[in-house]
């Protein structure tokens, strides 16, 4: 608060000027800026480690693996969350799924996984041994689609 001398109408007056700094708009702007920065902050993507002694196909893609559920298809079977859902014998399922619309056991587990994820986006990471033939993968992919996983990303091993 300061005093100002002004001459008005031939008389000297003392006028008090009180100036406040309105912090509310400044704080609102800083909060919006903070939210924007936090939302746009990117951390390094998670790296998938092959399990079950599977050998992933080579890839030239530099895109990292998102932090999403990983379905592993190896010589021993189909794994989700480290648990075997369907066993394989020498890289081939013990029963033929080619005529089924989907694999019921896998659908049940994927639906259960989807139900427990509050931020479900439909993305599934697929780690498959490169020796598994596509006719074995086809019913698995179809089952994932039936369960609502429409964005299936194949994990590969980067070229060295």
């Amino acid at each position: 608060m300061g005093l100002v001398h002004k001459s008005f109408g031939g008389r000297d007056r003392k006028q008090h000027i009180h100036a406040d700094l309105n912090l509310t708009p400044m704080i609102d702007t800083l909060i919006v800026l903070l939210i924007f920065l936090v939302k746009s902050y990117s951390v390094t993507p998670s790296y998938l480690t092959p399990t079950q002694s599977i050998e992933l196909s080579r890839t030239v893609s530099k895109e990292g693996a998102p932090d999403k559920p990983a379905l592993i298809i190896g010589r021993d079977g189909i794994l989700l969350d480290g648990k075997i859902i369907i066993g394989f014998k020498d890289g081939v399922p013990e029963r033929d799924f080619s005529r089924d619309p989907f694999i019921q056991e896998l659908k049940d587990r994927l639906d259960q996984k989807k139900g427990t994820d509050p931020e479900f986006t439909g993305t599934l990471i697929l780690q498959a041994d490169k020796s598994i033939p596509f006719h074995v993968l086809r019913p698995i992919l179809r089952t994932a689609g039936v369960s609502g996983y429409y964005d299936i990303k194949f994990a590969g091993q980067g070229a060295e």
Side-chain angles (χ1 to χ4, degrees):
M1 183 146 76
L3 296 174
V4 175
H5 295 281
K6 264 190 162 181
S7 177
F8 182 74
R11 296 182 290 183
D12 284 338
R13 284 189 170 186
K14 291 184 179 178
Q15 183 179 8
H16 295 280
I17 297 176
H18 182 74
D20 284 334
L21 182 62
N22 194 356
L23 291 179
T24 305
M26 188 184 317
I27 291 172
D28 289 347
T29 304
L30 288 175
I31 288 175
V32 169
L33 183 63
L34 180 67
I35 290 171
F36 172 76
L37 291 174
V38 167
K39 292 292 268 181
S40 65
Y41 179 71
S42 175
V43 295
T44 57
S46 62
Y47 293 96
L48 297 171
T49 54
T51 57
Q52 201 190 38
S53 302
I54 65 173
E55 187 177 351
L56 297 174
S57 299
R58 298 270 181 217
T59 181
V60 294
S61 174
K62 300 292 184 201
E63 183 179 340
D67 189 22
K68 298 295 176 190
L71 183 65
I72 301 168
I73 304 160
R75 299 176 208 271
D76 296 334
I78 303 172
L79 284 88
L80 184 65
D81 295 331
K83 297 176 186 158
I84 292 184
I85 300 171
I86 297 166
F88 284 8
K89 196 177 255 185
D90 297 325
V92 178
E94 294 173 353
R95 68 178 209 257
D96 183 24
F97 296 110
S98 60
R99 299 192 185 271
D100 297 339
F102 53 84
I103 304 170
Q104 186 63 49
E105 300 95 317
L106 179 58
K107 182 181 181 319
D108 292 343
R109 290 292 303 276
L110 287 172
D111 287 343
Q112 179 184 19
K113 183 85 173 163
K114 179 174 71 171
T116 60
D117 185 4
E119 297 176 7
F120 177 74
T121 61
T123 301
L124 181 70
I125 307 300
L126 186 69
Q127 292 183 36
D129 190 287
K130 69 179 189 178
S131 66
I132 303 291
F134 185 73
H135 75 274
V136 173
L137 293 177
R138 187 180 303 129
I140 297 168
L141 295 173
R142 187 172 48 234
T143 302
V146 167
S147 293
Y149 291 91
Y150 300 112
D151 184 18
I152 299 173
K153 299 186 183 292
F154 287 86
Q157 191 170 18
E160 297 164 4

